[in-house]
């Protein structure tokens, strides 16, 4: 039977480690504390501590990942994702650190799309386009939550949000859920589901920034990246896909074998100039379990990404400018973090050749993305 935590005091739930035979050392712990309030709604910080003693912290503001700490190859534990110490930080110009973005992740050209001949117009928040759902997208709303301790499987936090018809200009009342699990093997698993009562467009992702040397410890240009994608979608000067799907072979976008992110980023390649660096959707081969790997030679930490989505937006923090301070006052520098946003392709509602992002009444969207953290020499 599921056990739910509902009261607002700090609650510690310990799952007894007896019978857990994978060489781990502690009990699984789940706790929550106040993180502030917004529009009369309580905002909480939930901490999941697995049997390795590593923690994932989440808030229901934006269903956001706030903190992930994992060891390096020498056993030093550090937080490797961008976040703020309190809700205030998220309310002051947060560039989607760790949040869920929706209803439509990435850009929709000029904030317009049509469904069955009816045109919809969205707010423009990334001139001349709509970015990440719009100015008050799902990253900025307070989600309902349940902390769930199952008899089988992993402890989890279930975030739910009811998005009303025409919210930010999108048709249909939607019910959306993002479930986060944090396993004893340092895997963060996000399971998304969504329904609508009118035909709409839908594209959801998590926008976590990662620096495997520790969040706020310089840039990520030394990280080695593999993306199992033989093609990517080039963009125009406003970062809207041109509609082409072009092979990565022979370009600085070929990450089919590991390359340092900084290795070719300065090459005079037009797509790197338009993107101000890497800020592109890769068309995943989707034929291997692991779709992307990031490795830091400095700390030995790696992150593997697995998804059932057709694309991943690789963004390397080109818009960060070092003015933002997060946990422990650390500065998040230009190219100080990278995002691997698993999703459908940007601007799909206006790109008939791309996989469809239409969601109809009666259909349930379901998708899983996994981030696995480990170390190697
Ligand atoms: C990314 C997007 C970038 C930038 C960033 C937020 O998902 O690809 O162009 O908008 O979000 O600053």
């Amino acid at each position: 039977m599921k056990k739910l935590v509902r009261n607002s005091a700090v609650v510690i739930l310990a799952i007894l480690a007896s019978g857990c035979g994978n060489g781990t050392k502690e009990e699984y712990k789940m706790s929550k504390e106040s993180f502030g309030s917004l529009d009369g709604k309580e905002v909480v910080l939930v901490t999941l501590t697995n049997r390795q003693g590593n923690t994932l912290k989440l808030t229901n503001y934006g269903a956001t990942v706030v903190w992930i700490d994992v060891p390096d190859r020498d056993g030093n534990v550090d937080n490797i994702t961008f976040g703020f110490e309190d809700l205030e930080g998220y309310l002051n110009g947060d560039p989607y650190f760790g949040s869920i973005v929706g209803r439509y992740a990435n850009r929709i050209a000029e904030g317009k799309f049509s469904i069955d001949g009816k045109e919809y117009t969205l707010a423009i928040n990334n001139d001349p386009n709509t970015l990440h759902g719009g100015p008050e997208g799902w990253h900025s709303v307070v989600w309902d939550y349940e902390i769930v301790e199952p008899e089988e499987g992993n402890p989890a936090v279930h975030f739910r949000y009811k998005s009303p018809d025409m919210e930010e200009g999108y048709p249909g009342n939607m019910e959306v859920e993002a479930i986060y699990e944090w396993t004893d093997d340092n895997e963060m698993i996000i399971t998304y589901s969504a329904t609508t009562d009118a035909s709409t467009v839908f594209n959801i992702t998590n926008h976590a920034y990662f620096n495997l040397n520790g969040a706020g410890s310089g840039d990520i240009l030394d990280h080695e990246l593999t993306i199992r994608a033989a093609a990517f979608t080039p963009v125009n000067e406003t970062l809207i896909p041109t509609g082409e799907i072009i092979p990565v072979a022979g370009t600085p976008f070929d990450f089919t074998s590991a390359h340092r992110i900084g290795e070719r980023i300065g090459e005079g390649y037009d797509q790197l100039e338009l993107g101000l660096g890497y800020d592109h959707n890769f068309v995943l081969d989707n034929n291997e379990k692991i779709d992307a790997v990031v490795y830091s030679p400095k700390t030995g930490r790696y992150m593997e990404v697995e998804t059932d989505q057709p694309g991943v937006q690789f963004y390397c923090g080109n818009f960060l400018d070092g003015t933002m301070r997060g946990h422990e006052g650390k500065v998040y520098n230009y190219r100080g973090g990278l995002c691997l946003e698993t999703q459908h392709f940007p601007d799909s509602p206006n790109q008939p050749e791309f996989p469809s992002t239409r969601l109809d009444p009666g259909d349930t969207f379901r998708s899983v993305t996994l981030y696995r953290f480990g170390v190697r020499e």
Side-chain angles (χ1 to χ4, degrees):
M1 208 178 59
K2 289 179 176 176
K3 197 193 271 180
L4 310 181
V5 178
R6 291 193 188 280
N7 59 339
S8 60
V10 176
V11 181
I12 308 260
L13 260 178
I15 300 172
L16 292 176
S18 58
C20 154
N22 60 352
T24 52
K25 51 186 184 200
E26 298 184 16
E27 293 178 356
Y28 199 108
K29 296 190 197 76
M30 309 166 84
S31 67
K32 71 166 184 168
E33 60 199 278
S34 176
F35 207 45
S37 75
L38 188 67
D39 303 332
K41 289 188 188 148
E42 186 198 15
V43 178
V44 295
L45 183 70
V46 178
T47 302
L48 305 180
T49 307
N50 68 16
R51 292 182 180 90
Q52 303 290 341
N54 298 125
T55 60
L56 166 66
K57 297 187 187 186
L58 305 161
T59 175
N60 58 328
Y61 176 75
T64 296
V65 176
V66 174
W67 172 281
I68 302 171
D69 64 36
V70 285
D72 67 9
R73 66 160 77 85
D74 299 320
N76 302 310
V77 174
D78 202 354
N79 167 49
I80 48 81
T81 196
F82 288 10
F84 297 105
E85 306 250 305
D86 52 28
L87 179 61
E88 275 309 300
Y90 290 93
L91 300 179
N92 291 317
D94 157 46
Y96 312 95
F97 288 167
S99 51
I100 296 292
V101 291
R103 202 183 272 210
Y104 197 96
N106 212 281
R107 292 175 175 80
I108 293 184
E110 297 178 2
K112 286 191 195 313
F113 63 92
S114 297
I115 298 177
D116 297 335
K118 184 164 184 318
E119 188 173 88
Y120 295 91
T121 304
L122 311 170
I124 304 301
N125 61 339
N126 188 244
D127 193 26
N129 305 314
T130 300
L131 176 68
H132 294 330
E136 292 174 37
W138 293 350
H139 63 285
S140 66
V141 301
V142 179
W143 295 54
D144 294 330
Y145 70 97
E146 285 179 7
I147 302 170
V148 178
E149 176 195 341
E151 267 185 5
E152 284 177 26
N154 303 302
V157 184
H158 294 217
F159 293 107
R160 293 192 187 96
Y161 179 62
K162 287 188 181 178
S163 170
D165 183 39
M166 297 313 288
E167 183 186 39
E168 298 290 88
Y170 300 89
N173 292 292
M174 285 196 73
E175 293 192 8
V176 57
E177 185 175 62
I179 298 175
Y180 287 87
E181 296 168 60
W182 178 234
T183 75
D184 287 329
D185 297 319
N186 288 345
E187 297 161 322
M188 177 174 75
I189 305 170
I190 313 177
T191 303
Y192 303 98
S193 62
T195 57
T196 181
D197 69 358
S199 296
T200 191
V201 294
F202 177 66
N203 189 25
I204 194 165
T205 192
N206 178 283
H207 204 293
Y209 292 66
F210 299 100
N211 184 323
L212 299 179
N213 297 335
S217 68
D219 64 47
I220 44 72
L221 298 177
D222 68 336
H223 287 33
E224 294 171 7
L225 174 66
T226 308
I227 306 180
R228 303 217 159 98
F232 77 107
T233 53
V235 292
N236 69 17
E237 60 289 343
T238 74
L239 298 179
I240 293 292
T242 60
E244 298 155 281
I245 293 178
I246 63 172
V248 295
T251 80
F253 286 72
D254 189 348
F255 286 97
T256 54
S257 59
H259 284 272
R260 268 192 317 107
I261 291 168
E263 185 184 320
R264 300 162 298 179
I265 202 168
E267 284 184 12
Y269 184 70
D270 65 334
Q271 281 300 314
L272 285 170
E273 284 166 6
L274 287 166
L276 307 175
Y278 294 106
D279 189 359
H280 292 77
N281 168 64
F282 285 69
V283 179
L284 291 171
D285 300 339
N286 272 155
N287 55 11
E288 285 189 61
K289 223 175 148 205
I290 298 170
D291 295 289
V293 185
V294 191
Y295 170 68
S296 160
K298 187 172 163 198
T299 61
R301 290 194 187 95
Y302 67 78
M303 176 176 80
E304 294 173 342
V305 182
E306 295 177 14
T307 188
D308 52 16
Q309 288 292 283
V312 63
Q313 181 81 11
F314 167 41
Y315 167 61
C316 67
N318 306 309
F319 293 116
L320 297 171
D321 61 7
T323 54
M324 208 145 266
R325 283 175 186 274
H327 292 297
E328 299 154 338
K330 289 185 180 166
V331 177
Y332 296 151
N333 285 320
Y334 175 57
R335 294 181 176 161
L338 66 94
C339 304
L340 288 169
E341 304 155 53
T342 58
Q343 57 188 33
H344 272 252
F345 306 173
D347 197 35
S348 298
N350 297 307
Q351 306 275 358
E353 302 304 318
F354 290 176
S356 174
T357 50
R358 178 174 171 148
L359 189 69
D360 290 310
D363 291 346
T364 301
F365 172 93
R366 279 207 183 80
S367 174
V368 183
T369 290
L370 176 151
Y371 299 86
R372 181 183 300 109
F373 301 95
V375 285
R376 62 178 154 92
E377 287 311 311

